[in-house]
Amino acid sequence: DRALTPQQIQEAYREALEKEMSQSEQKQLQPQIDAFIKLFSNGMKKGDEQVMRWLPDGQLEILVNGNLLSTI
């Protein structure tokens, strides 16, 4: 079974967000980005499922294996 370390997951999300946002957007949203990245401090193993849903009020709901981790 392949597992991903917390550092691998966090770095992948950080790189993806940096690629999609301007530096201005990143600076403005840095507290939310940091909170999001911090959620993935336990790593993932084969079979784990991540679900992210945008809520009508603009917040992002993050679930792992059906458990709500956070709403940002």
Side-chain angles (χ1 to χ4, degrees):
D1 290 322
R2 179 162 189 238
L4 295 174
T5 67
Q7 294 80 15
Q8 289 172 310
I9 296 167
Q10 291 170 338
E11 184 62 26
Y13 277 123
R14 191 173 307 280
E15 286 177 8
L17 291 169
E18 287 174 358
K19 183 178 172 183
E20 295 299 322
M21 287 191 230
S22 70
Q23 287 185 346
S24 174
E25 290 171 319
Q26 290 175 41
K27 186 175 181 177
Q28 179 183 358
L29 296 171
Q30 197 60 55
Q32 293 92 334
I33 292 169
D34 291 342
F36 175 77
I37 299 293
K38 192 174 184 179
L39 291 173
F40 301 98
S41 60
N42 291 326
M44 299 288 289
K45 63 184 183 313
K46 185 175 181 178
D48 284 349
E49 179 183 57
Q50 294 180 5
V51 175
M52 296 174 207
R53 295 188 278 228
W54 286 110
L55 302 177
D57 64 1
Q59 292 185 312
L60 178 65
E61 187 176 74
I62 300 105
L63 298 96
V64 173
N65 297 326
N67 298 309
L68 179 63
L69 286 184
S70 184
T71 303
I72 300 173

